Amino acid sequence: MKAVQIIQPGEVKVVDIPVPKIGPGEVLVKINFVGFCGSDLNTYSGKNPMVQLPVVPGHEISAEIAETSEGVPEHIQPGMLCTVNPYTACGQCPSCRNGRPNACRFNQTLGVQRHGAMAEWITVPWEKIIPDRDSRLSKKAFALVEPLSVGFHAVSRAQVTDSDTVMVIGCGMIGLGALIRSVIRGARVIAVDVDGAKLALAGQLGAAYTVCSKTEDVHARLQDITNQAGPDVVIEAVGAPATYRMAVDEVAFTGRVVCIGYAKTEIAFETKLFVQKEMDIRGSRNALPEDFRAVMEYLGRGACPEDALISGIYPPEQAREALEKWKSDPGKVFRILISFE
C-alpha cells in the first residue's frame, strides 16, 4: 500500500509498505484524510528530538472502518466514519493511575514515537476508535478533530466558566480550539495573534475582542477591556518566550494560566508574580476521549467554517510540497490535509 514517509530532514517519499494485518481486538481502517501537525513540520525541519527517522507521520485522522476482529464490540461496525485517538497509555504511571492517560509518562503518539497514519490503511485497538454514530460530520472534518481537541482540553484544564474572561494567545488550530470551547462555555474571549487573517477568523468563531500583538499595545488593550483587572484565564498556544511572559504578566490576580505551546528555549520570569498573584500555572497535554467527542459534537452542528481551517489538500505525492509551503510561511497555515481518497 501507499504511505508517506519522512526519510530525513527535508526528504519525503511515497513508499510501498505491506497492508497491516488485523489482530484480535483490532480494527482495520481505510484512511480518507490525514492532517499535518506542527510535530510533523518539526520532524521535516529536523527540529523534533522525540522522533526516530524514517517515520510515517500523521495523527490527525479521518478514516472509515473497513474490518473488525474478534473481541471488537458490536457498536463498532464496518462502514462507519471515525477518527482515532492517536496516543498510547501505559496504565501504570502516575498520570494513568490518576485518570489522566493523555499525559502518560510513556505515551507514544502516532507519527512521532511510532509510525503514524499517513498511509492507505492502518490497524488500531478498538478502544482508540471514535466513531460518528450519527453520521453528521464530513470526511474532512474528522481530520480537524484531534488538533481542535487539544485546545478543548486546555479549556477543561483551565476550568473555564461563563463568568470568566479568557485570553487566548495564538490563533492557530489549537488556539482556535481553546477559543471555541471557551465561547461554548459562555466565557468572554480575547484573541491575541500577530496575523490579521487569523484574528478575523477568531472573531468569526466568537471572540468578543481581537488584539494584534504586532501593532497594538497588548497590555493597554487588556487593561481597557477588563477594567484594569486582567483576564481571569490565559491560554498560551504559541510556545515562545515572549508569549509565556505575556501570560504571566497579564493574567489577573488569582487567575489561571494554561500552557499548551512548547518553548524551545529557557524562559526567565518575574517569579514574584507567581506568589503575589497566587496564580495557578497548569500544563495541558494532548486530549481525552471526552474532548474528542466534544469537538465532534461541535462540528456536527454545522456552524464551524471547516474550509477556512483547511489551508490546502494534497495527494501523497505532493506531501513534500505541502510541507515546504507550510515551512516557508508557517503563520499563514491552519491545517494541510493529505488525501487518500
Side-chain angles (χ1 to χ4, degrees):
M1 67 173 181
K2 185 185 298 184
V4 174
Q5 199 170 68
I6 300 176
I7 308 299
Q8 60 185 359
E11 183 179 358
V12 180
K13 289 184 178 180
V14 176
V15 297
D16 185 38
I17 61 175
V19 175
K21 295 182 179 180
I22 190 171
E26 290 186 334
V27 176
L28 176 70
V29 300
K30 172 70 176 70
I31 299 298
N32 294 320
F33 297 94
V34 182
F36 269 129
C37 173
S39 62
D40 301 321
L41 181 61
N42 284 334
T43 297
Y44 176 74
S45 302
K47 299 177 181 178
N48 189 346
M50 295 183 291
V51 75
Q52 291 188 344
L53 297 175
V55 68
V56 175
H59 56 258
E60 301 173 359
I61 301 166
S62 166
E64 180 178 333
I65 298 171
E67 184 182 345
T68 61
S69 63
E70 180 183 358
V72 176
E74 291 187 1
H75 72 268
I76 296 177
Q77 292 290 327
M80 297 177 74
L81 296 178
C82 67
T83 190
V84 175
N85 183 330
Y87 323 121
T88 64
C90 71
Q92 303 298 321
C93 73
S95 300
C96 290
R97 294 200 305 270
N98 290 332
R100 292 159 68 178
N102 58 295
C104 174
R105 179 180 178 183
F106 305 105
N107 167 67
Q108 292 188 338
T109 299
L110 286 173
V112 184
Q113 294 92 350
R114 56 193 175 125
H115 285 310
M118 206 162 281
E120 293 181 273
W121 307 84
I122 63 169
T123 57
V124 294
W126 71 264
E127 295 92 341
K128 298 299 182 182
I129 295 291
I130 305 177
D132 177 20
R133 300 178 188 178
D134 299 325
S135 301
R136 294 185 300 166
L137 273 66
S138 69
K139 290 182 179 180
K140 289 186 293 186
F142 280 97
L144 304 178
V145 173
E146 192 276 342
L148 289 174
S149 74
V150 175
F152 270 48
H153 182 69
V155 173
S156 292
R157 291 284 293 141
Q159 298 175 298
V160 170
T161 72
D162 57 3
S163 64
D164 286 322
T165 295
V166 178
M167 176 168 75
V168 177
I169 307 175
C171 296
M173 279 291 290
I174 290 172
L176 289 180
L179 184 157
I180 290 165
R181 198 174 207 186
S182 296
V183 171
I184 291 171
R185 291 193 175 192
R188 182 175 65 155
V189 179
I190 305 167
V192 179
D193 202 282
V194 297
D195 185 80
K198 287 185 175 180
L199 289 171
L201 182 55
Q204 184 179 348
L205 291 169
Y209 303 92
T210 60
V211 181
C212 180
S213 57
K214 189 175 182 179
T215 60
E216 297 182 76
D217 184 330
V218 176
H219 176 73
R221 280 292 310 279
L222 291 175
Q223 290 293 291
D224 181 57
I225 292 167
T226 64
N227 194 27
Q228 315 303 312
D232 305 291
V233 174
V234 178
I235 297 176
E236 200 288 335
V238 176
T243 50
Y244 261 81
R245 284 192 289 266
M246 181 190 294
V248 169
D249 290 344
E250 300 298 346
V251 72
F253 275 61
T254 68
R256 289 99 72 197
V257 173
V258 175
C259 307
I260 313 174
Y262 280 90
K264 296 178 176 61
T265 60
E266 293 183 357
I267 304 172
F269 290 101
E270 190 69 60
T271 55
K272 70 179 183 181
L273 294 177
F274 298 1
V275 178
Q276 289 178 339
K277 292 187 176 183
E278 200 178 46
M279 68 175 70
D280 292 332
I281 301 177
R282 306 172 185 179
S284 183
R285 182 183 179 192
N286 298 332
L288 289 165
E290 52 260 40
D291 300 310
F292 282 75
R293 290 191 289 269
V295 172
M296 291 170 66
E297 171 63 27
Y298 165 72
L299 292 174
R301 299 173 194 168
C304 179
E306 294 172 13
D307 289 341
L309 299 178
I310 299 171
S311 303
I313 300 176
Y314 295 79
E317 292 78 9
Q318 294 180 16
R320 183 181 182 279
E321 177 183 332
L323 286 167
E324 280 293 327
K325 175 183 177 181
W326 193 2
K327 183 180 178 181
S328 67
D329 196 358
K332 296 296 184 182
V333 171
F334 285 106
R335 269 305 174 267
I336 289 174
L337 305 186
I338 298 299
S339 172
F340 287 89
E341 286 200 302

